[in-house]
Structure formats: C-alpha cells, structure tokens
Amino acid sequence: MTLSTAHTVVRDYHRAWTSGDVDQAMTLVADDITCRAPGVDLVGKEAYREYLAGFAPMLTEIGDIADFATEDRVALFYYPRTATTADTPAGECFTVRDGKIVENILVFDRLSYGPPANS
C-alpha cells in the first residue's frame, strides 16, 4: 500500500462518517476491524458501525488540526464539535490493509461529551 492510498482511505472514511454518511464510511472498513476507544473495545464491522452511528448525529462541525501518515498507518487529530463541546480534541490512529481500515485506536475525553454540569 502506498502512503497516499492509506491516507486517502482514512480521509474518505473520516469525511463520510463526520458528514453523517456512516454507511459510506463502512465501505472503507474491514469486516474484522478492531477499535480501542475510551471505555470500550469493539470487534467487528457491525459493532463499530453502531458505535459511530450513535455519535455521528451529535456532530455540529469538525475542526481539523492535523493528519500524519506512513505506509499503512494514518493519524488524525481534530475537534469533533457538538452541542456540549467545541474545543475537546480527538485523535485516531488507523491501520489500513488492502484498502480497508483494519484497526482504529481512538482517544478523546469522554467526560467532555456528557451532559453539561448543573450550574
């Protein structure tokens, strides 16, 4: 796999799910994907799809920070903005094989996406 291929796969996937098209994003995910996220380890495309589909409707905007790529790994850093947060960064490290995302390590502060604290 070339650097541009892995990077393109991840950017296309990211653009799809963050615009609400989870089904399109899943065309770029392997059936046996694994994902480590705060508080949960996901195995398989359906579990991963459900996880994304639960969060995608909450997005109001994505603020890109940076992305980095090697031959088969791509890291994205961005601000997933919702009604409860605008400045909490998220980071994802993807592994891509044969044109599909096979692994995702997702890092973010879960507490920032909860209901606002009572004042």
Side-chain angles (χ1 to χ4, degrees), residues 28-66:
L28 299 166
V29 170
D31 290 341
D32 60 349
I33 186 172
T34 60
C35 175
R36 297 203 87 171
V40 66
D41 287 340
L42 304 163
V43 178
K45 193 176 201 173
E46 192 53 39
Y48 190 65
R49 184 195 185 296
E50 286 178 31
Y51 186 77
L52 281 182
F55 184 71
M58 291 186 258
L59 289 175
T60 58
E61 181 183 12
I62 291 292
D64 289 335
I65 301 172

Side-chain angles (χ1 to χ4, degrees), residues 46-105:
E46 192 53 39
Y48 190 65
R49 184 195 185 296
E50 286 178 31
Y51 186 77
L52 281 182
F55 184 71
M58 291 186 258
L59 289 175
T60 58
E61 181 183 12
I62 291 292
D64 289 335
I65 301 172
D67 52 74
F68 306 93
T70 64
E71 280 189 29
D72 66 347
R73 297 189 109 181
V74 179
L76 298 180
F77 297 92
Y78 57 96
Y79 294 110
R81 296 183 173 124
T82 69
T84 59
T85 186
D87 61 358
T88 301
E92 296 187 76
C93 182
F94 299 91
T95 303
V96 178
R97 288 195 194 102
D98 299 322
K100 300 278 187 176
I101 298 168
V102 297
E103 180 184 42
N104 180 4
I105 300 169

